[in-house]
Amino acid sequence: MFKPLGDRVVIELLETEEKTASGIVLPDTAKEKPQEGKVVAVGNGRVLDSGERVPVEVKVGDRIIFSKYSGTEVKYEGKEYLILRESDILAVVE
Amino acid sequence: MFKPLGDRVVIELLETEEKTASGIVLPDTAKEKPQEGKVVAVGNGRVLDSGERVPVEVKVGDRIIFSKYSGTEVKYEGKEYLILRESDILAVVE
Amino acid sequence: MFKPLGDRVVIELLETEEKTASGIVLPDTAKEKPQEGKVVAVGNGRVLDSGERVPVEVKVGDRIIFSKYSGTEVKYEGKEYLILRESDILAVVE
Amino acid sequence: MFKPLGDRVVIELLETEEKTASGIVLPDTAKEKPQEGKVVAVGNGRVLDSGERVPVEVKVGDRIIFSKYSGTEVKYEGKEYLILRESDILAVVE
Amino acid sequence: MFKPLGDRVVIELLETEEKTASGIVLPDTAKEKPQEGKVVAVGNGRVLDSGERVPVEVKVGDRIIFSKYSGTEVKYEGKEYLILRESDILAVVE
Amino acid sequence: MFKPLGDRVVIELLETEEKTASGIVLPDTAKEKPQEGKVVAVGNGRVLDSGERVPVEVKVGDRIIFSKYSGTEVKYEGKEYLILRESDILAVVE
Amino acid sequence: MFKPLGDRVVIELLETEEKTASGIVLPDTAKEKPQEGKVVAVGNGRVLDSGERVPVEVKVGDRIIFSKYSGTEVKYEGKEYLILRESDILAVVE
């Protein structure tokens, strides 16, 4: 697999159907459409001006909602992944 | 439910009628229209350059006024939510 | 009433006639017209990178001059208010 | 009078004739024309990220040169004033 | 060879065929196409406001994915290199 | 004379002939033409976020090269001066 | 000669022929063409918010690669120089 740098995370895209497994339905009309994904790799976090490194708030396995159109798509062994910055993640589905 | 990241909060939208329950009436002509919502989930707060995490100033149950057009809409089990950053919240209705 | 967040303040708008109560007359030709208001609620202040919270420099009851076109208008129980950031306040009338 | 906030100062405008009292003549062709004023009120200074407040470098009575088109004009009891930020002040005439 | 400054790294470009050695296939349609490279030189890292220098998260020999269109191309003894900033590196292939 | 604020300096313009006294010739074709001046007054320096004031790196009498089109022109007792920020000064001629 | 300010360096331009002395060949098609130069003077370095001054990473005599179109050209005693900021230097040729 691959290890993202800094505050980046790698996620598997989850198809956002009319009604997803976790029960989230995304409105068609949202200007900035959120999407769902599952975290598969997490970076070491960003470094503050104080020199401290802040761990990323999500962990491998978390289902997350992120802003559509954010991140970079990568294919690896036939599967599609997205590399996001932590700041593009809106929430963790519990 | 879902847990927002950083200084984000999840709110339920409150219909802003001519006269709302809390008595706030929003002018039609305001260029940047505020709206009302009820906080249903709160993130852990943003991290300062000093490494300190600042708790969000609102708590679950608070009625808030926020800037229209801010945040990202999400539907969950048929209900509509909005994920906002703390900086998009103008005031708490007391 | 409502409590503003961070370094925001809530003010009542004061009609700026040709000659106001406090004697301030605003020139017609000013590109960035200032206006007068009375502070009715004050936030807890902004948080510095050091973690310190800086109290807002104005207090409830102060008559202030602020930059026109700044802030967000809100109506509450028939009265019109403006929510400003401290940085939009130019001076306190003494 | 009025007390400016933060690093703002209030000045009285000085007519910049061909040859002013202090002997400064401003060129007609300068793209960013400076102007002269007399300081009548000074704010408490801006707050650094360290929490320290930096006193404004000018004091009441100082004759200053500032960048034209900066600041906000205010009339008070028939007199015209300008509210500037300290960073708009170029120099003190000695 | 050459030593990059600050948080820069020098990489050899790896041809991203339909299926690369490490098994990563890049989608044709990605707006911001990532690419693969091998790190051949690493700078000393960027200096924080605290004065601390943060070592670069990759090391010589690492296979990395970076954002296409980032960096500056340089040819040295017939070979093509790319000088990137650490922030343009998305992930390390493990 | 006048005392510049913060990290500003006041300079006398030096005519940049084909060959100046110090032997610097400025190319006609330079997009961002540098110019020469002599420092006649120096501010106290800028204040860092730590509260420390950084003395300006040039002193009265220094011949400096600065970026053309930077600064503000001022005339004082018939002489033309330029008020620059330290960051507009490229080098000191030795 | 002249002493550059802050994190600036003065370099002599090196003609980048098809094949330079150090063996670097620059591609014709690079959008942001790098170039070679030899460092002839180095500033004292930039000052961090902590008050610390960071020495420039290059020294007099270093052959460097820098981004084309950066810096300011100066002629001195018939020779052409370029004044760059440290951040415009990509790498040192070893």
Side-chain angles (χ1 to χ4, degrees):
Chain A
M1 258 299 287
F2 36 87
K3 168 82 176 177
L5 256 71
D7 67 344
R8 288 184 181 86
V9 300
V10 182
I11 63 166
E12 274 177 27
L13 295 168
L14 299 176
E15 288 306 312
T16 51
E17 309 145 49
E18 202 61 30
K19 182 84 192 306
T20 67
S22 65
I24 289 193
V25 182
L26 302 168
D28 291 350
T29 56
K31 279 190 309 275
E32 180 191 357
K33 269 192 183 175
Q35 286 188 316
E36 270 191 272
K38 201 174 102 186
V39 177
V40 295
V42 174
N44 294 325
R46 67 188 171 97
V47 176
L48 300 174
D49 271 346
S50 60
E52 199 179 325
R53 195 175 280 273
V54 187
V56 176
E57 274 196 80
V58 299
K59 61 182 187 303
V60 171
D62 279 353
R63 291 177 78 92
I64 61 160
I65 305 172
F66 60 93
S67 298
K68 207 180 172 178
Y69 307 124
S70 56
T72 306
E73 293 173 35
V74 176
K75 257 191 192 163
Y76 180 75
E77 294 180 348
K79 232 171 175 173
E80 194 165 304
Y81 297 96
L82 194 68
I83 302 179
L84 292 170
R85 305 205 79 125
E86 189 184 10
S87 56
D88 295 321
I89 303 176
L90 301 173
V92 176
V93 180
E94 287 173 337
Chain B
M1 258 298 287
F2 36 86
K3 168 84 177 175
L5 256 71
D7 66 344
R8 289 184 181 86
V9 301
V10 182
I11 63 167
E12 274 177 27
L13 294 168
L14 298 175
E15 287 307 312
T16 51
E17 309 145 49
E18 201 61 30
K19 181 85 192 306
T20 66
S22 65
I24 289 194
V25 181
L26 302 169
D28 292 350
T29 57
K31 279 190 307 274
E32 180 190 358
K33 269 192 183 175
Q35 286 188 318
E36 269 192 272
K38 200 174 102 188
V39 178
V40 296
V42 173
N44 293 325
R46 69 188 169 97
V47 176
L48 301 174
D49 271 346
S50 60
E52 199 179 326
R53 195 175 280 272
V54 187
V56 175
E57 275 196 80
V58 298
K59 60 183 187 304
V60 171
D62 279 353
R63 291 176 79 92
I64 60 160
I65 304 172
F66 61 92
S67 297
K68 207 180 173 179
Y69 307 125
S70 56
T72 306
E73 294 173 34
V74 176
K75 258 190 191 163
Y76 180 74
E77 294 180 348
K79 231 172 177 172
E80 194 165 304
Y81 297 96
L82 194 67
I83 303 179
L84 292 170
R85 305 205 79 126
E86 188 185 10
S87 56
D88 295 321
I89 303 175
L90 301 173
V92 177
V93 180
E94 287 174 336
Chain C
M1 258 296 288
F2 36 86
K3 167 84 177 176
L5 256 71
D7 65 345
R8 289 183 181 86
V9 301
V10 182
I11 63 167
E12 274 177 27
L13 293 169
L14 298 175
E15 287 306 313
T16 51
E17 309 143 49
E18 200 62 31
K19 180 88 191 304
T20 66
S22 63
I24 289 194
V25 181
L26 302 169
D28 291 351
T29 56
K31 280 189 307 275
E32 181 190 358
K33 267 193 184 174
Q35 285 189 319
E36 270 192 273
K38 201 175 101 188
V39 178
V40 296
V42 174
N44 293 325
R46 68 188 169 98
V47 176
L48 300 175
D49 272 346
S50 60
E52 199 179 325
R53 196 175 279 272
V54 188
V56 174
E57 276 196 78
V58 299
K59 59 183 189 303
V60 171
D62 279 353
R63 292 175 79 92
I64 60 159
I65 304 172
F66 61 93
S67 299
K68 207 179 173 178
Y69 307 125
S70 56
T72 306
E73 293 173 34
V74 176
K75 258 190 192 163
Y76 180 75
E77 295 180 348
K79 230 172 177 172
E80 194 164 305
Y81 296 96
L82 193 68
I83 303 179
L84 292 171
R85 305 205 78 126
E86 188 184 12
S87 56
D88 295 322
I89 303 175
L90 301 173
V92 177
V93 180
E94 287 174 336
Chain D
M1 259 297 288
F2 35 88
K3 167 83 176 175
L5 256 70
D7 65 345
R8 288 183 182 85
V9 300
V10 182
I11 63 167
E12 274 176 27
L13 294 169
L14 298 176
E15 287 306 313
T16 51
E17 308 145 47
E18 200 62 29
K19 180 89 192 304
T20 66
S22 64
I24 290 194
V25 182
L26 301 169
D28 292 351
T29 56
K31 281 190 307 272
E32 181 190 357
K33 269 194 184 173
Q35 286 188 319
E36 270 191 273
K38 200 174 101 187
V39 177
V40 296
V42 174
N44 293 326
R46 67 188 171 98
V47 175
L48 301 175
D49 272 346
S50 60
E52 199 179 324
R53 196 175 279 272
V54 188
V56 175
E57 275 195 79
V58 298
K59 59 183 189 303
V60 171
D62 279 353
R63 291 176 79 92
I64 60 159
I65 303 172
F66 61 92
S67 298
K68 207 180 173 178
Y69 307 126
S70 56
T72 306
E73 293 173 35
V74 177
K75 258 192 191 161
Y76 181 75
E77 294 180 348
K79 230 172 178 173
E80 194 165 305
Y81 296 96
L82 193 69
I83 302 179
L84 292 171
R85 305 205 78 124
E86 187 184 13
S87 57
D88 295 322
I89 304 175
L90 301 173
V92 176
V93 179
E94 288 175 336
Chain E
M1 258 298 287
F2 37 87
K3 168 82 176 176
L5 256 71
D7 67 344
R8 288 184 182 87
V9 300
V10 182
I11 63 167
E12 274 176 27
L13 295 168
L14 298 176
E15 288 305 313
T16 50
E17 308 146 48
E18 201 61 29
K19 182 84 193 307
T20 66
S22 64
I24 290 193
V25 181
L26 303 167
D28 292 350
T29 57
K31 280 191 308 274
E32 180 191 356
K33 268 192 184 177
Q35 286 189 317
E36 269 190 274
K38 201 175 101 188
V39 178
V40 296
V42 174
N44 293 326
R46 68 188 171 97
V47 175
L48 301 174
D49 271 346
S50 61
E52 199 179 326
R53 195 175 280 273
V54 187
V56 176
E57 274 196 81
V58 298
K59 60 182 188 304
V60 172
D62 278 354
R63 291 176 78 93
I64 61 160
I65 304 171
F66 60 93
S67 297
K68 207 181 171 178
Y69 307 125
S70 56
T72 306
E73 293 173 36
V74 175
K75 258 191 192 163
Y76 181 74
E77 295 181 347
K79 233 170 173 173
E80 194 165 304
Y81 296 96
L82 195 68
I83 302 179
L84 292 169
R85 304 205 79 124
E86 188 184 12
S87 57
D88 295 321
I89 303 176
L90 301 172
V92 176
V93 181
E94 286 174 337
Chain F
M1 259 298 288
F2 36 89
K3 167 83 176 175
L5 256 71
D7 66 344
R8 288 183 182 88
V9 300
V10 182
I11 63 167
E12 274 176 27
L13 294 169
L14 298 176
E15 288 305 313
T16 50
E17 308 145 47
E18 199 62 29
K19 181 88 192 306
T20 66
S22 65
I24 289 194
V25 182
L26 302 168
D28 292 351
T29 56
K31 281 189 307 271
E32 182 191 355
K33 267 194 185 174
Q35 286 189 319
E36 270 191 273
K38 201 175 101 188
V39 177
V40 295
V42 174
N44 293 326
R46 67 188 171 98
V47 175
L48 301 174
D49 272 346
S50 61
E52 199 179 325
R53 196 175 279 272
V54 188
V56 176
E57 274 195 79
V58 298
K59 60 183 189 304
V60 171
D62 279 354
R63 291 176 79 92
I64 61 159
I65 303 172
F66 61 93
S67 297
K68 207 179 172 178
Y69 308 126
S70 55
T72 306
E73 293 173 35
V74 176
K75 258 192 192 161
Y76 181 74
E77 295 180 347
K79 231 171 178 175
E80 193 165 305
Y81 297 96
L82 194 69
I83 302 180
L84 292 171
R85 305 205 78 124
E86 188 184 12
S87 57
D88 295 322
I89 303 176
L90 301 173
V92 177
V93 180
E94 287 175 337
Chain G
M1 260 297 288
F2 35 89
K3 168 82 176 176
L5 256 71
D7 67 343
R8 287 183 182 88
V9 299
V10 182
I11 63 167
E12 274 177 25
L13 294 168
L14 298 176
E15 289 305 312
T16 50
E17 309 146 47
E18 200 61 29
K19 180 87 193 307
T20 66
S22 65
I24 289 194
V25 182
L26 302 167
D28 292 350
T29 57
K31 281 190 307 273
E32 181 192 356
K33 268 192 184 177
Q35 286 189 316
E36 270 191 274
K38 202 175 100 186
V39 177
V40 295
V42 174
N44 293 326
R46 67 188 172 98
V47 175
L48 301 174
D49 272 346
S50 60
E52 199 178 325
R53 196 175 279 272
V54 188
V56 176
E57 274 196 80
V58 297
K59 60 182 189 305
V60 171
D62 278 354
R63 291 177 78 93
I64 61 159
I65 304 172
F66 60 93
S67 297
K68 207 180 171 177
Y69 307 125
S70 55
T72 306
E73 293 173 36
V74 175
K75 258 192 191 162
Y76 181 74
E77 295 180 347
K79 232 172 176 173
E80 193 164 305
Y81 296 96
L82 194 68
I83 302 180
L84 293 170
R85 304 205 80 124
E86 188 183 12
S87 56
D88 295 321
I89 304 176
L90 301 173
V92 176
V93 180
E94 287 174 338

